[in-house]
Amino acid sequence: MGTVRRIQHSSIGDYLVTIEEKNSATYLRVYTNWRHQAEEKSRVGVRLLGHLLRGASVWGGVQMEIIEIPLSEHPVSLACCAVTGDLLVGCENTLVLFALRRHTQQNLQNQQNLQGSWSNSEQSCSQTPGRTQDLSVLDFERSVILHLSKLTPKQVALCGGYVAVQAELEVLVLKLEATAEATGVEEPSDSFKSEDYPEEQSDFLLVPKHQELLGDRAGACDVPVSVEQTGLEDRRRYTLSYLLFRRFTPEFFQGCSVEETQLHSLQLHPVFTSKQSASADEPACMFCFFSLPNAGYLYSLRGGVEALSTYQYPEKVLQAVLTDHLLHVITRNALQSFTVRCAAAAARVEDPYIDTTMKACPPCSLEVCALRMQLFIGLRTLCVYGRHVVLLSTADTEAPEEAERHTQRRGLDLKEHNMLTGIFLAVGIDPATTPALENLLSRPFLSRRWTISSPKETSPVGHGWNLYVVDTVPPITLYQEMVEYRQRYAETNPQGLSLRHLLSEAHLLLRSSLLESSEHRQASEGARKMAVQKQMEELEEAFRQNCAQLGDSFSRGGQKDYHLALPYYRMSGLSVTEVMSRNRPLPGSPHSYGPGFLFYLKNYLLEETDQSLSQEDADEVTRIFSQSEPSMLVSVCASPCMMNVDPAATLQILQRLEKTAGEAVPLTITMATMMLRLGNMAQYTELMERHSEMLLVYGFIEEPRLLLHAGGGKRPQVCPTALAGQLADSQPGLLVAAMVALHENNKVQLEPADHVFKELGCESSLQVDFWEAMLMASSQDAVIQELLFRLASVYIDRLTAGESPTQHKSLKSADDLISCCSHYGALYPWLTILNPAHASSYQHQEALHKLQSLLCGPSLSIGNVAPLLESLSEETLWGFSLHLLCATRRGQYGRSIERLLDRCPQAIIAYANHQLQDKHMALWWQKLLPELCSRTRAAADNGVLLGALKETLVVVAMETSPAEFLELLPDDGSASYFLPHLLTCAQRHLPA
């Protein structure tokens, strides 16, 4: 169609887009189904943007189709989105975004039915046997236009909503976001229209200063951008945010010309993590790369804009292409490859907790290095497809007239240099004495205007063009070469930083390969999926080996970054025995165990796991810490991994430690544990009696694993140690006090502590003692309510279980709890009448008094415990007392008075004296007096009721007036019986 000036291919939609020139006119064209034309098929369809043709091209792509895209401005550059397939066109002062659209067969039929029915031939073509009904045709919609008033695009990039623009010395990166809100077309502001620079109207050269603005600061750049909505079908609203602005200034005094400072190779590079697929709406990471002839710059755009790497090239670079694994650059005579840091950034995006004790990754700030160099002649351009690097080269020829023009230019430069030198000498300045000034005068850029020379046009005749396709080394092969080089390098300098750098480079190479392989595994099927799976396994094995090598490097290194040995060893999958064998000092070596290895070993021993070391390994661990860090021996011996350690040898080491470091409570307990394992109970008892019970509790707080081991691995629950079992038998009070102290110091939670007592077989004895002690010590309301409910349940179970002569005697009696714990209230006086003395066993009496005390206390919620009391019968007097307590706590005084008079009238006055006070005082004459009068009338010989009536009349006479008292007297009562009380009431009110 014309001379192609720019060409781009989009994998999404598989289309080609070109900028072509023909007859002094510029065209923007999109080629779809171009692979059909590559098979030398003759049918070609041509149409304008948005005008879908009827015919064979719609149904199944049986011909190539050319879409002509009209533009109001001259197109300069192109970019295709690798995520969505959208097209971005850079013009002289605008960026035009075209959204990729897929029209299905049904949509096209609906559109064309509006224009008329098809011909029979067209319908027969559409109904060809074997054609699927989900065929589609590509088209584009001009969705948004970005107006740049102070920037002339030379190159553009588009990916996942990110837009990058490159001018001669400036780079601007924007984020274009769309919302579902409908909006009209926005015209660009007048202030954003292109204006001539004032320096073009003067005789001075104004060089803008160097700038680097990242993130929110990028909005302060002097490049305004306005958004014009143009989509007809897409009614979304587009908004812009600035991400990055970088402006470079030629350093003339360093001998650099404007031509040598032009930017090139702008690229937006997405990275998908293993948790994503390439079809995801937005990649996990986005990187922006651009380059000067002597330096390249890589930025990360997701999660905060950050400069990752700066590449310093050894010679002038013509073009660069960034990939997941390497950065490929070409000079005139060489192809060079540099490492990249995309995998390090992607690892941290995929797992924000990558830099922990479980995982690690080399930092993004790690210096880059060159890996390979291959020599060529006359390289001009390159591109990368998968593992292939495609190079185009040609012989460097120069026409005679061009050489003559260069000679004339050199003569003019010399004349200009002599003239300026004379001017400086005339004013008394000798340029020869100032190197910087001499360097300035020697440059050929001193002219009236700042102009950028355009690149030479290639001769149409051509001079030996060559096309090279270079296969890059597979990552696993490159990794193996690194391993071989590492082995040779380690023989001369095993602790060198360059060796660690090499291992880090290999680590990042494998990480990026694993990300790529996981993506391919999701997209592959059948035999290819099996091949990818095998490759994945090979990469994972290499990754584990590399982690082990990095662990070795950090374990034997100095104090800096020694902690990284732990996560790398964990990622390697090595057992602690294998790690120990890799870190043993060589015979005759002056070096001992490195700080990184000790850090790894300490964390392994502090980790709760169900894997135990063999006796040989456990004894070696004890010897290691006795030599390197004796203060850690108590923690080491308390580790569940050290269950198989030799107690006799360990005891000797601990005794030597006690002689040198002095006596300490945790150390004494550890020695007692070893004596217990040896079966020497006399020495065990002597050691445990060295310190008071309170000091022993402090020792358990300092090292809880002497008492219990937390769950880990296949053992999810906390379990007691042998020492805890011994304490349960010999010193239960110490065990309970220690468990309470551990809970209050956040060393163990309530449920795991309960499991410990169940493991010891003490769930009905020491566990209840633990709950009672916890109720005395805890200040957490949620824990208190839980304990109150549990204890009430236990007391009720004990009351209903009957007599049990083997029942455990509690550590705290009811009187102890009432005097020491505020949640246990003093027993109401009327309860002593209802509680028959010595009517049951001591355990039964204790359970009853504790439950009654809880019901008399201020903390137990009656609503929670009432359902539990329903199982208790009221036939017994103690059962009746509990139900009466609940009714009283609920405020049911009238009903309680009736029940008490029915069941135990002896306690009614004691009940009334305690309960019917203050605001309930009126119940004396409103409820109790009438009840007693009626019941006495029915049983006149009942001395208990008569005595209660007399006591009641005394209280009523004291609290009421004579008139009120007379109203309360029954009509059929005996006046002689009530008259003394009436006289008492009257005499009390006579002074008034």
Side-chain angles (χ1 to χ4, degrees), residues 632-942:
M632 286 291 298
L633 277 174
V634 172
S635 297
V636 169
C637 294
S639 173
C641 308
M642 302 289 287
M643 295 296 295
N644 298 322
V645 71
D646 183 5
T650 305
L651 187 59
Q652 293 179 1
I653 295 175
L654 294 175
Q655 289 171 346
R656 289 197 299 266
L657 175 62
E658 188 179 41
K659 291 180 181 179
T660 57
E663 194 175 279
V665 177
L667 179 58
T668 302
I669 299 175
T670 307
M671 294 169 63
T673 303
M674 296 302 161
M675 285 295 183
L676 183 63
R677 293 180 59 180
L678 289 172
N680 192 338
M681 298 307 297
Q683 290 293 326
Y684 162 79
T685 305
E686 180 184 346
L687 288 169
M688 293 298 289
E689 290 178 351
R690 282 188 184 180
H691 307 285
S692 65
E693 183 175 294
M694 186 56 65
L695 289 179
L696 292 175
V697 169
Y698 287 144
F700 288 124
I701 294 175
E702 187 174 344
E703 185 47 75
R705 294 186 301 172
L706 291 170
L707 202 59
L708 50 89
H709 289 158
K714 298 179 181 179
R715 186 191 64 216
Q717 295 290 346
V718 174
C719 63
T721 62
L723 178 61
Q726 177 63 30
L727 292 179
D729 296 333
S730 60
Q731 295 176 278
L734 175 59
L735 177 62
V736 170
M739 294 298 295
V740 171
L742 292 179
H743 181 276
E744 291 305 296
N745 286 273
N746 297 322
K747 303 292 185 179
V748 67
Q749 299 301 316
L750 189 59
E751 294 298 334
D754 290 340
H755 182 76
V756 169
F757 288 105
K758 291 179 181 179
E759 287 286 322
L760 294 172
C762 307
E763 61 268 22
S764 62
S765 55
L766 288 183
Q767 185 178 16
V768 180
D769 294 330
F770 168 69
W771 291 345
E772 292 174 347
M774 278 292 303
L775 198 59
M776 298 169 59
S778 180
S779 60
Q780 304 176 33
D781 185 65
V783 174
I784 291 172
Q785 292 301 321
E786 176 67 21
L787 291 172
L788 288 171
F789 181 80
R790 291 185 182 186
L791 288 171
S793 303
V794 169
Y795 299 150
I796 293 173
D797 291 341
R798 288 180 177 179
L799 290 172
T800 56
E803 301 297 328
S804 178
T806 60
Q807 205 168 24
H808 166 77
K809 184 177 181 180
S810 300
L811 296 177
K812 294 287 185 181
S813 66
D815 293 336
D816 295 335
L817 293 175
I818 292 173
S819 61
C820 299
C821 183
S822 61
H823 305 291
Y824 287 86
L827 296 179
Y828 297 158
W830 54 270
L831 286 174
T832 58
I833 303 175
L834 298 178
N835 291 339
H838 309 293
S840 59
S841 65
Y842 171 79
Q843 289 82 4
H844 189 275
Q845 285 288 340
E846 283 294 300
L848 177 61
H849 289 170
K850 289 179 179 179
L851 182 56
Q852 289 176 339
S853 178
L854 282 181
L855 293 174
C856 295
S859 304
L860 181 63
S861 174
I862 299 301
N864 293 337
V865 77
L868 300 177
L869 292 174
E870 292 177 358
S871 62
L872 295 177
S873 173
E874 295 190 34
E875 294 180 359
T876 60
L877 201 57
W878 59 266
F880 170 73
S881 69
L882 294 173
H883 284 279
L884 191 66
L885 265 175
C886 283
T888 301
R889 284 285 305 274
R890 287 179 166 179
Q892 301 172 359
Y893 296 104
R895 175 63 179 156
S896 298
I897 290 172
E898 294 177 4
R899 295 172 64 187
L900 194 57
L901 288 173
D902 291 338
R903 186 69 179 270
C904 186
Q906 297 92 334
I908 189 63
I909 296 302
Y911 179 87
N913 283 329
H914 186 268
Q915 302 296 155
L916 305 183
Q917 299 294 326
D918 300 328
K919 63 180 181 179
H920 304 297
M921 180 64 73
L923 291 175
W924 279 92
W925 51 85
Q926 293 177 358
K927 181 65 179 178
L928 183 57
L929 180 60
E931 284 287 337
L932 287 173
C933 289
S934 63
R935 291 173 186 267
T936 305
R937 186 182 305 112
D941 57 345
N942 192 325

Side-chain angles (χ1 to χ4, degrees), residues 307-447:
L308 289 186
S309 305
T310 300
Y311 296 86
Q312 298 295 336
Y313 307 133
E315 54 182 316
K316 181 180 179 181
V317 166
L318 304 179
Q319 190 178 354
V321 176
L322 179 69
T323 66
D324 289 343
H325 303 88
L326 300 171
L327 173 69
H328 301 286
V329 303
I330 57 170
T331 65
R332 293 302 300 270
N333 299 310
L335 167 67
Q336 301 177 16
S337 300
F338 295 83
T339 57
V340 295
R341 299 290 165 260
C342 297
R348 285 167 172 82
V349 170
E350 183 179 26
D351 187 358
Y353 303 100
I354 191 70
D355 298 309
T356 61
T357 59
M358 298 299 296
K359 301 176 184 178
C361 182
C364 300
S365 57
L366 190 70
E367 292 186 3
V368 297
C369 62
L371 294 183
R372 287 181 178 273
M373 177 183 294
Q374 293 173 273
L375 298 179
F376 294 88
I377 297 177
L379 290 179
R380 292 301 179 89
T381 187
L382 88 157
C383 66
V384 178
Y385 179 77
R387 300 292 183 196
H388 310 293
V389 178
V390 183
L391 303 171
L392 193 62
S393 69
T394 184
D396 189 9
T397 59
E398 188 178 39
E401 59 273 12
E402 187 175 358
E404 181 180 356
R405 192 162 56 248
H406 286 179
T407 303
Q408 294 175 357
R409 175 63 185 269
R410 284 193 296 269
L412 291 174
D413 291 340
L414 179 61
K415 180 179 179 182
E416 189 178 47
H417 178 273
N418 294 336
M419 180 183 67
L420 291 174
T421 302
I423 294 174
F424 278 109
L425 291 173
V427 296
I429 300 176
D430 187 2
T433 61
T434 307
L437 186 58
E438 178 65 22
N439 188 16
L440 173 66
L441 295 178
S442 65
R443 303 309 299 165
F445 55 77
L446 290 176
S447 58

